[in-house]
Amino acid sequence: MRHYNNWINGQELAPINATFIERISPADGTALAKFPSSTQGDLEIAVEAANKLHLSGAWANLAASERAKLLVKFAELIEQNCEFLAKIEAEEVGKPITYARGEVMWSAELVKFAAALAWQIPGEAHTHLGENKLGLVTREPRGVVGMIVPWNFPMVCLFQKLPYAIAAGCPVVIKPSEYTSGTALEVAKLAKQAGLPDGLINIVCGKGSVIGDGLTRHPDVKMISFTGSTAVGKTIARTAADDMTRVALELGGKAANVVFADADLEAALDGVLFGVMLNQGEECVAGTRLLIEKSIADDFVAKLVERAKKVVIAHPLKDESQIGPLIYEQHYKKVLEYIEIGKQEATLVLDGSHPEGEDLAQGYYVGPTIFTDVKPEHRIFKEEIFGPVLAVTTFETQEEAVQLANDVEYGLGNGLWTKDIDKALQVSKQLQSGTVFVNTYLEGAAQMPFGGYKQSGYGRENGVDALLEYLEVKSTFIKLGQRTPVLPNTL
Ligand code: NAD
């Protein structure tokens, strides 16, 4: 079993109360790790270390090109330790090891991209403001940033924030999920090895209601970047409002894959299945609704069911595994409850609630589950289930497809499948979501911002926008040359 302490000011620090949270494998119940169940005192030490570094200017005033070089080293160390980190991620989350490897390498890629952005932090000079007048628009690091992340993609959710804040010049205090803190604590050690200064990355493990809330209320924390559920995101936004602490929120989703009859249906079958099964459906942008043109619906769903039956459900450390267990018992029960609700509301055409296979009974496994005849008023259409459960609804016109896709409170992502480029662009424009995938699903690029519309949150990660989130904008208006008093001139 791995035994962890907090990571504060470049070293391990045991929690003051010497209390730990045990992480049990969702695949087979073995004890995997112990993480600190920290209290406010631990948080105070971490915020103080981060703030001290910020106030010293040692990181904020370092040439951004130097910050970039250290970030590149950090990325290389993450790559070199891919297998080690991926195993921890697979064990703690329950995600298949092949996807965990992809998650680690993608995280390293984001660090390299953020490093490149650091070289060109934007500023403006306004030289046409009138004679002897100069305007400068500069961007300054906001100060200490609190990062609160969930358990489904512990590395990617963190790395859509961390390297950008570091590139911008901000020290951070991270509150990982109490179920999956391992990789955050390991990468902090790699950051030190890369030469990033003590106090830049601090990690305080523990409960959201204690450490997450404490971080949000802390007067020396100037920004909270949160990824998690919409309910907790709203609580954070309300709390942060008291101090006008800036907040960026990456929240829940209920994405649709819209499949038109003129699509490449083979590709759409793969994309729809991948969209709902990736990470056991524990994915904020999972395509858990299929909106399909009525003329092709029966045939498409029949083929989808056949394909879904072939998905390999197995222990996450097995290379062949495509679906691992859900995160913990309570969540597993919640997903099974939704399957029961679905049975009352719609037609069950594939039941993954009790998959059969070697050792599966020891873990919280749920296989692909598909419902047809789903209506917009059904709970399985509207609510985030966070499991591999697909709700299928048919449409007859393009307008109806768009209306159905937008008929949920979330707006994180959607997919659409058609060979008609005009239709693709029209529909893409009408979809109320921060991301639209066309003829593919769950692809992305570091250059492209990621974030939500509606109840999926605000703020953007990745792209240049991610860097800008961590920079305060300052306008400096300069009168040059003349020494005349200001007041008479302005009258
Ligand atoms: P969660 O909201 O329960 O927890 C997220 C984090 O917030 C955890 O670290 C938790 O300890 C902490 N927390 C809990 N209560 C808190 C409080 N009162 N104050 C401060 N922090 C608190 O979410 P989860 O169950 O860990 O993750 C699943 C959710 O995350 C889903 O809704 C999913 O859609 C969402 N998510 C969104 C994205 C995105 O990019 N939009 C990515 C991944 C996950």
Side-chain angles (χ1 to χ4, degrees):
M1 175 159 57
R2 298 179 285 273
H3 193 124
Y4 288 106
N5 286 310
N6 288 322
W7 182 265
I8 298 177
N9 208 16
Q11 58 183 345
E12 282 191 43
L13 208 60
I16 294 167
N17 63 2
T19 307
F20 293 83
I21 297 167
E22 195 173 61
R23 177 63 180 140
I24 301 293
S25 162
D28 54 27
T30 53
L32 294 174
K34 273 188 178 178
F35 308 122
S37 181
S38 309
T39 50
Q40 186 67 25
D42 303 299
L43 187 59
E44 291 298 337
I45 305 169
V47 175
E48 195 186 331
N51 204 30
K52 200 170 157 200
L53 177 67
H54 180 63
L55 296 176
S56 75
W59 188 250
N61 297 335
L62 187 67
S65 55
E66 294 302 316
R67 298 203 289 262
K69 284 175 198 162
L70 294 171
L71 278 170
V72 170
K73 189 88 200 297
F74 184 30
E76 287 166 356
L77 285 170
I78 293 170
E79 285 170 349
Q80 286 161 22
N81 286 275
C82 176
E83 201 54 35
F84 170 66
L85 294 167
K87 185 164 178 280
I88 295 175
E89 200 79 331
E91 281 183 346
E92 290 180 8
V93 182
K95 74 175 63 195
I97 183 79
T98 45
Y99 299 143
R101 288 185 192 116
E103 190 180 343
V104 175
M105 294 307 276
W106 176 239
S107 301
E109 191 91 344
L110 295 178
V111 180
K112 288 184 191 167
F113 175 66
L117 289 181
W119 281 85
Q120 45 182 347
I121 291 175
E124 296 154 36
H126 292 272
T127 56
H128 290 255
L129 303 179
E131 203 178 347
N132 296 327
K133 290 174 186 172
L134 174 64
L136 294 180
V137 181
T138 51
R139 289 181 168 80
E140 301 170 352
R142 290 192 192 283
V144 178
V145 178
M147 297 182 170
I148 304 173
V149 285
W151 46 257
N152 61 336
F153 285 89
M155 278 198 69
V156 164
C157 289
L158 177 59
F159 279 84
Q160 293 198 163
K161 308 175 188 303
L162 178 66
Y164 299 98
I166 291 177
C170 300
V172 303
V173 178
I174 298 160
K175 207 302 276 176
S177 166
E178 49 273 48
Y179 299 99
T180 58
S181 307
T183 47
L185 290 157
E186 297 293 352
V187 294
K189 293 179 204 163
L190 297 179
K192 184 174 171 105
Q193 213 178 311
L196 290 164
D198 294 349
L200 186 65
I201 299 177
N202 304 279
I203 302 182
V204 185
C205 302
K207 293 190 179 143
S209 55
V210 181
I211 300 305
D213 185 62
L215 202 51
T216 310
R217 290 177 195 280
H218 204 293
D220 290 335
V221 174
K222 300 304 174 198
M223 175 173 173
I224 292 288
S225 180
F226 171 79
T227 303
S229 61
T230 296
V232 174
K234 286 182 181 179
T235 304
I236 286 176
R238 283 188 204 105
T239 307
D242 281 345
D243 268 354
M244 279 296 161
T245 302
R246 190 167 284 262
V247 175
L249 300 171
E250 292 288 337
L251 309 177
K254 189 74 188 176
N257 253 310
V258 183
V259 179
F260 290 97
D262 63 0
D264 174 341
L265 297 179
E266 281 301 304
L269 280 164
D270 279 345
V272 169
L273 183 56
F274 182 65
V276 72
M277 60 165 262
L278 179 72
N279 218 48
Q280 306 75 242
E282 294 168 322
E283 151 82 54
C284 52
V285 78
T288 52
R289 293 181 297 147
L290 166 62
L291 307 179
I292 179 130
E293 199 158 341
K294 200 168 185 179
S295 58
I296 57 162
D298 290 348
D299 191 43
F300 190 92
V301 171
K303 286 183 176 150
L304 187 66
V305 168
E306 285 318 303
R307 230 168 259 212
K309 282 181 186 165
K310 295 190 185 124
V311 169
V312 180
I313 305 167
H315 193 287
L317 292 184
K318 289 187 178 167
D319 268 331
E320 67 272 22
S321 176
Q322 294 175 312
I323 283 198
L326 296 173
I327 189 79
Y328 50 78
E329 188 180 8
Q330 199 188 342
H331 182 62
Y332 169 69
K333 285 184 176 162
K334 185 186 130 187
V335 172
L336 292 184
E337 246 175 69
Y338 268 112
I339 294 176
E340 288 307 311
I341 292 167
K343 284 185 194 167
Q344 309 299 316
E345 294 179 329
T347 309
L348 180 64
V349 293
L350 181 65
D351 184 358
S353 57
H354 295 96
E356 286 171 15
E358 200 192 341
D359 301 334
L360 295 191
Q362 292 171 26
Y364 306 127
Y365 292 92
V366 173
T369 299
I370 302 177
F371 287 98
T372 55
D373 303 319
V374 180
K375 306 263 180 310
E377 60 273 21
H378 290 164
R379 286 184 64 188
I380 59 167
F381 183 96
K382 292 188 290 195
E383 297 174 19
E384 188 181 45
I385 299 173
F386 233 52
V389 181
L390 183 69
V392 183
T393 308
T394 57
F395 65 85
E396 290 187 64
T397 64
Q398 189 175 314
E399 293 68 32
E400 194 189 354
V402 170
Q403 197 263 327
L404 284 166
N406 290 336
D407 196 10
V408 288
E409 61 182 19
Y410 298 108
L412 195 57
N414 284 298
L416 72 96
W417 301 80
T418 173
K419 285 183 186 158
D420 178 342
I421 186 70
D422 291 332
K423 194 194 282 182
L425 290 173
Q426 280 165 15
V427 173
S428 167
K429 197 172 168 189
Q430 290 169 317
L431 290 174
Q432 296 161 354
S433 57
T435 297
V436 177
F437 303 101
V438 179
N439 295 330
T440 183
Y441 204 74
L442 291 174
E443 277 194 71
Q447 299 93 319
M448 298 185 68
F450 178 77
Y453 281 26
K454 305 196 285 188
Q455 305 261 335
S456 292
Y458 43 74
R460 288 294 178 271
E461 301 193 327
N462 298 343
V464 178
D465 301 64
L467 180 80
L468 299 181
E469 290 280 350
Y470 300 100
L471 293 162
E472 197 74 69
V473 180
K474 179 175 282 178
S475 289
T476 305
F477 191 97
I478 305 168
K479 187 86 179 277
L480 297 164
Q482 292 171 1
R483 293 288 175 266
T484 45
V486 170
L487 203 55
N489 259 359
T490 57
L491 289 175

